[in-house]
Amino acid sequence: DGGITQSPKYLFRKEGQNVTLSCEQNLNHDAMYWYRQDPGQGLRLIYYSQIVNDFQKGDIAEGYSVSREKKESFPLTVTSAQKNPTAFYLCASSMAAGAGDTQYFGPGTRLTVL
Amino acid sequence: GDSVTQMEGPVTLSEEAFLTINCTYTATGYPSLFWYVQYPGEGLQLLLKATKADDKGSNKGFEATYRKETTSFHLEKGSVQVSDSAVYFCALSDHGGANNLFFGTGTRLTVIP
């Protein structure tokens, strides 16, 4: 089945450790996105990529890094510089980066930093 | 800048009641508008969308009409079911730039039998 997969579903890390969240899509979409969701809030954009080997910062990129070496993969690293990393992280993709293209979301990864 | 303002919840309704969740937006251009639904512990699913003024998006009994004159995109359903219990997000994508979504804060709906 086509879709977006994120792994793991739950992730626990100690404070000060870097952690990488996986996002894979087999929809042949060009554009991919990472969002962060905090309780009672909407989603906020961390990074997005419109094409392989290219990505741009979103509204809250500080403390995060990404790579886009393959079309189907867009991993997100939460670094120790991120002051409050505990959150629900959602990956999305769209066919292109044209405005209005529907974004499709993965099931999310809940990161808890102890 | 672009933003979305959503009716605050939580909203609790009895089964078969009529649902309205208000959503208004601010955008510099002519955005596309979306409603997404999030069930507990899951990612977001697209519920419906509208890409230009006066368009009506519909899916699974839910409807929303793109009203440019009132900058609104209210979500409605005539008869809710227990299975509709979820968090609903209104969002916009501005045609002026990259395909970035701006989300409202979400409205939690609980339907009781």
Side-chain angles (χ1 to χ4, degrees), chain A residues 26-46:
Chain A
N26 61 2
L27 301 168
N28 200 33
H29 284 175
D30 284 325
M32 298 185 74
Y33 312 80
W34 273 106
Y35 293 89
R36 169 183 172 135
Q37 185 180 25
D38 293 284
Q41 296 189 33
L43 281 67
R44 293 181 290 169
L45 182 66
I46 305 173

Side-chain angles (χ1 to χ4, degrees), chain A residues 97-103, chain B residues 31-34 49 51 93-95 97-100:
Chain A
D101 281 346
T102 300
Q103 293 187 22
Chain B
S32 292
L33 301 172
F34 305 82
K49 66 183 278 191
T51 57
S93 172
D94 195 332
H95 286 207
N99 190 27
N100 296 338

Side-chain angles (χ1 to χ4, degrees), chain A residues 4-110:
Chain A
I4 303 172
T5 57
Q6 291 185 243
S7 60
K9 190 172 178 66
Y10 298 96
L11 190 55
F12 297 89
R13 280 294 181 269
K14 291 183 179 179
E15 195 171 342
Q17 288 182 332
N18 291 357
V19 60
T20 298
L21 281 59
S22 167
C23 177
E24 304 278 331
Q25 55 97 0
N26 61 2
L27 301 168
N28 200 33
H29 284 175
D30 284 325
M32 298 185 74
Y33 312 80
W34 273 106
Y35 293 89
R36 169 183 172 135
Q37 185 180 25
D38 293 284
Q41 296 189 33
L43 281 67
R44 293 181 290 169
L45 182 66
I46 305 173
Y47 267 98
Y48 65 100
S49 168
Q50 297 176 305
I51 198 168
V52 174
N53 292 323
D54 185 53
F55 48 82
Q56 286 79 40
K57 292 181 179 180
D59 298 324
I60 56 165
E62 185 175 351
Y64 299 97
S65 65
V66 293
S67 62
R68 186 85 186 278
E69 297 176 1
K70 298 186 295 182
K71 187 176 185 178
E72 60 269 24
S73 179
F74 190 41
L76 172 74
T77 297
V78 184
T79 75
S80 56
Q82 168 50 233
K83 294 176 183 175
N84 186 18
T86 294
F88 190 47
Y89 290 87
L90 288 157
C91 178
S93 70
S94 64
M95 187 173 295
D101 281 346
T102 300
Q103 293 187 22
Y104 297 90
F105 285 80
T109 292
R110 187 167 299 281

Side-chain angles (χ1 to χ4, degrees), chain B residues 92-109:
Chain B
L92 74 81
S93 172
D94 195 332
H95 286 207
N99 190 27
N100 296 338
L101 284 174
F102 297 88
F103 285 87
T105 54
T107 301
R108 181 176 299 278
L109 169 67

